[in-house]
Amino acid sequence: MPEGHKTHYLAHQHDQTFAGQSLDVTSPQGRFADGARKVNGRVLESVRAAGKHLFYEFEGNRVVHVHLGRYGSFAEQASPPEEPRGQVRVRMVGKERTLDLRGPTQCRVIDMETQASIEESLGPDPLARGKKADVWNNFRSRSKPIGGLLLDQSLIAGVGNIFRAEVLFEIGMNPHLHGDAMSQADFDRLWKSLSKMMKLGLKHGRIISVTAKEAGKPLKELANHERFRVYGKDECPRCGGPIAIDSVASRKMHWCPSCQA
Ligand SMILES: [Zn+2]
């Protein structure tokens, strides 16, 4: 599932490519036909991300709200585009480029008031100037495991399964540690690692937790399976022990019980 680095990356790319143009918007698959009619021919003013949500802000207070969920993805091509292939929920055709959206969990037209209420329901987003002190206040009073708190979008926005596993491993923190048992120093280490890893993910458009030194090659050259330390791994890169998989907040959590004791 795309995490916050990816939505911010896409928002920036799509804003650069399409903002300021009037777009031909259709739903080749048909499931967004009504929504497409509401924004077709209008000028896209800007594209913004909040946590894992994307907002395509069209003139006239019409916003296309997209949540990619587990299977959603975008594909870009030159305009005029080829005939749509597969289940294209939304096609946006600009002057030079065309954007296709497939398989999102959420895709609908809302107004700015609804957009504001979605944004207000989210916790601070480290990639959108979310404040460290606010996240600390959200975590410190809760007697739930940190592995679950990190995925709760109302406490912190944009963190998904991979970031939580990689960050907790990097700082050697047990995912079952409760928020109200964390010290300020624990949280400081967590925040530092998380904001650094999310910014690196935004820069590269994909999550990378290893360093170039560890990988033995530049980060740009990493294959997908070389990017992580614990996520999807069997063996701990630090101690060589087995990686455990627990369910925390209903998602599989990879961690090393000896390095994160
Ligand atoms: Zn280990």
Side-chain angles (χ1 to χ4, degrees), residues 105-119:
T105 294
Q106 178 86 261
C107 177
R108 57 178 181 155
V109 176
I110 58 174
D111 58 20
M112 283 154 61
E113 291 68 32
T114 308
Q115 179 183 350
S117 73
I118 294 167
E119 293 190 50

Side-chain angles (χ1 to χ4, degrees), residues 151 161 164-165 231 245-254:
L151 294 193
N161 216 18
R164 85 164 165 179
Y231 182 79
I245 302 176
D246 294 0
S247 177
V248 184
S250 315
R251 303 281 307 277
K252 279 181 186 170
M253 163 87 216
H254 293 76

Side-chain angles (χ1 to χ4, degrees), residues 1-7 10 52 67-73 158 160:
M1 180 186 293
E3 304 188 21
H5 70 293
K6 191 71 182 182
T7 48
L10 291 168
K52 299 179 187 174
H67 192 294
L68 289 171
R70 212 170 279 200
Y71 305 108
S73 66

Side-chain angles (χ1 to χ4, degrees), residues 3 126 135 139 146-147 150-151 156 158-175 182 186-201 207-210 227-231 238 253-256 259-260:
E3 304 188 21
V135 178
F139 284 1
I146 185 62
L150 282 168
L151 294 193
I156 183 167
V159 179
N161 216 18
I162 301 177
F163 277 132
R164 85 164 165 179
E166 294 296 327
V167 165
L168 292 174
F169 178 78
E170 180 166 273
I171 62 171
M173 185 176 285
N174 188 314
M182 283 176 88
D186 289 336
F187 180 75
D188 288 350
R189 287 187 298 125
L190 177 72
W191 179 263
K192 193 175 165 197
S193 170
L194 182 61
S195 43
K196 191 188 73 187
M197 210 179 282
M198 289 181 83
K199 281 175 193 153
L200 190 71
I207 302 174
I208 296 174
S209 63
V210 297
R227 296 180 289 143
F228 310 130
R229 293 177 177 135
V230 282
Y231 182 79
R238 214 168 273 165
M253 163 87 216
H254 293 76
W255 66 297
C256 175
C259 296
Q260 297 170 253

